[in-house]
Amino acid sequence: MQAPSAATRIEVDTTRAPQKIIHSHMEMPVQAGPLDLSYPEWIPGEHEPSGPVVNVAGIKFIANGKAVAWKRDPVDMYSIHLEVPPGTTTLDVDLDFLLSSASSGFSSGASASAFLNLLSWNQVVLFPKGADAAKLTYVPSLRLPDAWKYGTALPGAKQNGNVIDFAPVSLETLIDSPVLSGRYFRVIDLTPGQTPTHEMDLAADSAAALDVPPARIAAYRQLVAEAGALFGARHYRDYHFLVSLSDTVAHFGLEHHESSDDRTYEHFLIDDKVHAGGAYLLSHEYVHSWNGKYRRPEGLLSPDYTKPMKDDLLWGYEGLTDYLGEVLAARSGLWTNEQAREYFARTAAILDSEPGRSWRPLQDTATGAVFLYQTGDDWSNWRRSVDFYGEGDFLWLGVDAMIRKLTNDKKSLNDFCRLFEGGATGQPDLKSYNFEDVVDALSEVTPYDWATYLRTRLDELSTNTVDEALSNSGWKLIYTDQPNEIASDRDKVRKQVDLRLTLGLLMNTDGSVADVIYDGPSFKAGIGPGMKLVAIDGRQIDAESMADTANEEIARAKGGSAPIQLLVANGDDVQMHALDYHGGLRYPHLVRDESKPDYFGDVLKPLAPAAK
Ligand SMILES: [Zn+2]
């Protein structure tokens, strides 16, 4: 390790971002002799070695005007060795970063369109191998395309034309502070006249997409108030929701301490149905400023981006965040309570139909997250995916309901959040935790054998976590022939038709089979992922007609004995598959169990007074 005391200057030119290439120039303080440099591999918040080293090109090192030869380490692909010539104090480093157009891969996926770009600094930096990122200083500068505006949590911005110089920051803060820029840009102040400031920085593929209805802005203002009321402290100097509104960038959210990288559909903020399908996106990433950034499982620390992360506590990091993100969406009015219940019903039903829960315990979905994050829809019901999100919702609803039951509704998970995630308001801080710390904090809220409670639900197979959490909070999962609006609108936006609860089939509207429920009706009839559905009961289907045709034929076959006939192509092999399914349409909903207290209703109640 060769940690320089001086600062590295980094200048990034994004003027060609619409062409999918950006340039980085670094001036790095060095000493003569061997130097090992690293490219960030383990990316905070992604919980996996997803640093996009494959997209680094045109790399050049110059010392005193002369090129310096370099070699990649033959084992560690993220490490470069070079020999700094005598008399050198500054190494010039140039590299291009090739912007992906992939729809998956988190921050390594598509980040730019013709009109916007989200810069993740981890993609354009090198640093001395093994150095603690919190102790390295970088002085960032950014050149934008003409007439583009930007938003970021980076402090001290000074703009000169389309070049912005920022104040020196640690490498840790730099990588934790992406910059969103765009042609169509709007800043919405969520806490006018108050400190700390909270902004929605919106970049969109059209001016129209920025025309957010006032009621929606009011709900996002309320989100800031609700999070403050829940946690009782804030661990940031100010907060920026960096929202990319584009149908061509990868869609996901990535948390940072003082901002979040939220990439979603162009019409997300102006179309009620698109918004309802993902209304938890910003609240989830915002919760991470507390649960994930301020409090982080010790296994997820990687101060040099090379130390492998251990994902075993992601049911806390992500599971609790997922639950709170959805709860806060309801408390702040981003969802109605009915919408929140419908969303929970959808998640419950998907878990209910997932045979993989019979062999892979919930804990293993977290421990194995490094590879499970890489998987797609195909066989996800049998393999299982990163279920610590969806099943985590019910794990934590169960904890919430249990605290309320044990204390006669005097205490709740709100008390745990304040105790565990609150602390003192101020600059970004980090307090790591382990399993025992979670158990201790829950026990401080109310004494109980929380270790056994959690370990049973994490380690055992086919646990009753979902039904139990609903039942203990006064609700039941039922299936009717009336559509779950949130689920069907969400499927429309995502170009899928979900027949998992009936035919055991998840379809893409292009006709391809996304997933087949293991041992369900379609599985038994010989259908597998990747095949193409051509017709249902002799009726040809297309993207428009697929959902209606399937539903009509499922309803028609109800109670009868004639199979539903699917004509399916497996490459050039086209065959008829007879599905023995007669259960009719099944859509999930939650109904009240009047014999029990309505704790779930209490969970969704706002904590904060309505924002002005
Ligand atoms: Zn998350």
Side-chain angles (χ1 to χ4, degrees):
M1 184 183 122
Q2 215 175 359
S5 51
T8 293
R9 183 165 172 77
I10 177 166
E11 297 168 356
V12 174
D13 184 337
T14 64
T15 51
R16 290 186 186 272
Q19 282 175 274
K20 309 292 188 284
I21 186 167
I22 60 178
H23 184 78
S24 173
H25 173 75
M26 279 164 276
E27 292 163 19
M28 198 176 278
V30 290
Q31 298 159 11
L35 176 65
D36 294 343
L37 295 175
S38 279
Y39 183 73
E41 177 179 7
W42 288 82
I43 307 305
E46 301 193 358
H47 321 309
E48 54 177 337
S50 49
V53 68
V54 64
N55 284 329
V56 176
I59 195 158
K60 258 184 231 142
F61 299 97
I62 309 272
N64 299 324
K66 285 197 183 127
V68 179
W70 59 275
K71 262 192 199 144
R72 185 179 309 280
D73 186 276
V75 174
D76 176 5
M77 295 290 110
Y78 288 79
S79 178
I80 278 176
H81 307 300
L82 39 84
E83 184 76 26
V84 178
T88 310
T89 53
T90 302
L91 186 68
D92 286 277
V93 185
D94 280 275
L95 60 88
D96 286 330
F97 185 72
L98 314 174
L99 298 178
S100 167
S101 53
S103 60
S104 61
F106 300 119
S107 66
S108 68
S111 57
S113 71
F115 301 112
L116 60 86
N117 179 50
L118 187 292
L119 171 65
S120 302
W121 294 93
N122 62 284
Q123 298 175 343
V124 290
V125 296
L126 294 171
F127 61 96
K129 187 173 182 175
D132 181 346
K135 296 187 177 130
L136 294 176
T137 303
Y138 278 66
V139 188
S141 171
L142 176 62
R143 181 180 292 272
L144 298 177
D146 286 339
W148 282 29
K149 298 194 174 87
Y150 75 97
T152 180
L154 278 178
K158 291 200 180 82
Q159 189 158 3
N160 186 359
N162 54 354
V163 175
I164 304 119
D165 290 312
F166 298 98
V169 289
S170 69
L171 179 62
E172 181 187 36
T173 299
L174 184 70
I175 288 179
D176 197 38
S177 308
V179 184
L180 177 63
S181 60
R183 163 79 182 78
Y184 303 108
F185 204 90
R186 179 178 177 193
V187 176
I188 298 175
D189 186 349
L190 293 178
T191 44
Q194 296 173 40
T195 51
T197 59
H198 299 77
E199 288 180 12
M200 282 175 96
D201 298 325
L202 312 177
D205 276 349
S206 66
L210 301 174
D211 195 13
V212 191
R216 184 147 295 136
I217 295 174
Y220 279 106
R221 287 190 169 137
Q222 196 60 24
L223 170 62
V224 174
E226 284 297 335
L230 175 62
F231 296 114
R234 301 180 191 276
H235 312 284
Y236 46 76
R237 295 164 289 190
D238 45 41
Y239 193 88
H240 296 253
F241 294 95
L242 306 174
V243 188
S244 300
L245 299 162
S246 167
D247 294 345
T248 57
V249 300
H251 289 166
F252 66 95
L254 183 60
E255 61 274 23
H256 300 283
H257 220 127
E258 301 183 292
S259 62
S260 51
D261 172 1
D262 308 290
R263 303 187 204 175
T264 183
Y265 300 93
E266 179 180 343
H267 292 164
F268 177 70
L269 291 171
I270 59 169
D271 181 319
D272 289 348
K273 291 185 174 211
V274 178
H275 187 264
Y280 51 81
L281 173 66
L282 273 63
S283 52
H284 176 115
E285 304 311 335
Y286 187 38
V287 165
H288 272 316
S289 181
W290 290 264
N291 186 46
K293 289 297 171 180
Y294 169 54
R295 295 310 307 268
R296 199 175 314 164
E298 55 197 21
L300 286 168
L301 303 175
S302 181
D304 60 358
Y305 311 107
T306 63
K307 182 177 159 246
M309 294 176 182
K310 295 190 198 110
D311 287 353
D312 55 310
L313 277 174
L314 281 182
W315 53 265
Y317 182 124
E318 292 294 357
L320 176 58
T321 300
D322 211 57
Y323 174 67
L324 294 175
E326 289 164 13
V327 165
L328 287 182
R331 286 183 188 170
S332 54
L334 294 164
W335 265 337
T336 64
N337 282 6
E338 169 66 13
Q339 287 176 316
R341 284 194 298 269
E342 288 282 90
Y343 193 81
F344 272 80
R346 173 188 178 272
T347 309
I350 291 170
L351 291 163
D352 206 25
S353 73
E354 188 178 274
R357 295 172 79 222
S358 69
W359 73 269
R360 192 194 290 275
L362 180 60
Q363 177 62 60
D364 194 54
T365 70
T367 308
V370 164
F371 60 83
L372 289 175
Y373 271 120
Q374 310 290 333
T375 60
D377 284 333
D378 53 315
W379 295 122
S380 67
N381 73 90
W382 184 226
R383 178 193 295 114
R384 299 197 79 173
S385 183
V386 286
D387 286 2
F388 49 86
Y389 289 86
E391 193 164 332
D393 295 347
F394 293 93
L395 179 73
W396 288 100
L397 173 62
V399 171
D400 206 341
M402 184 57 81
I403 298 173
R404 289 172 193 266
K405 196 168 157 183
L406 291 167
T407 63
N408 247 329
D409 213 10
K410 298 231 163 28
K411 288 190 176 174
S412 69
L413 200 67
N414 297 339
D415 297 278
F416 170 81
C417 289
R418 184 171 277 252
L419 175 70
F420 196 68
E421 319 274 359
T425 285
Q427 301 222 347
D429 193 10
L430 171 59
K431 276 177 78 178
S432 62
Y433 68 85
N434 57 29
F435 178 77
E436 285 69 35
D437 296 326
V438 177
V439 167
D440 289 350
L442 285 169
S443 303
E444 200 176 325
V445 172
T446 188
Y448 190 63
D449 184 2
W450 290 110
T452 303
Y453 181 97
L454 289 169
R455 289 266 53 107
T456 306
R457 285 150 188 82
L458 289 163
D459 297 334
E460 292 187 357
L461 291 171
S462 306
T463 57
N464 193 31
T465 305
V466 176
D467 287 341
E468 172 198 60
L470 288 169
S471 170
N472 285 344
S473 47
W475 292 78
K476 270 188 297 205
L477 176 66
I478 58 157
Y479 296 92
T480 75
D481 60 3
Q482 294 305 304
N484 177 313
E485 299 284 345
I486 284 260
S488 41
D489 288 342
R490 190 183 152 90
D491 292 342
K492 262 179 225 155
V493 171
R494 285 157 182 75
K495 298 191 168 63
Q496 290 198 315
V497 175
D498 192 347
L499 307 170
R500 282 179 288 187
L501 303 178
T502 53
L503 306 183
L505 196 59
L506 179 65
M507 293 298 307
N508 298 316
T509 54
D510 68 2
S512 60
V513 174
D515 197 15
V516 172
I517 298 289
Y518 178 79
D519 222 19
S522 294
F523 178 92
K524 287 176 179 157
I527 299 171
M531 296 182 187
K532 276 246 177 192
L533 179 62
V534 180
I536 306 175
D537 285 338
R539 300 168 66 186
Q540 194 174 4
I541 53 106
D542 58 27
E544 296 299 308
S545 66
M546 185 189 294
D548 288 347
T549 305
N551 290 337
E552 284 162 23
E553 296 306 315
I554 289 166
R556 192 191 51 73
K558 187 180 180 184
S561 58
I564 297 172
Q565 301 276 1
L566 301 194
L567 185 64
V568 175
N570 188 5
D572 291 339
D573 183 26
V574 183
Q575 291 200 25
M576 195 67 87
H577 299 264
L579 271 63
D580 190 22
Y581 176 73
H582 307 284
L585 297 166
R586 290 175 84 229
Y587 299 105
H589 305 282
L590 299 187
V591 289
R592 260 296 275 140
D593 176 354
E594 297 292 348
S595 71
K596 301 203 169 128
D598 183 6
Y599 290 151
F600 192 36
D602 293 342
V603 165
L604 300 182
K605 278 184 192 153
L607 295 182
K612 283 168 237 120

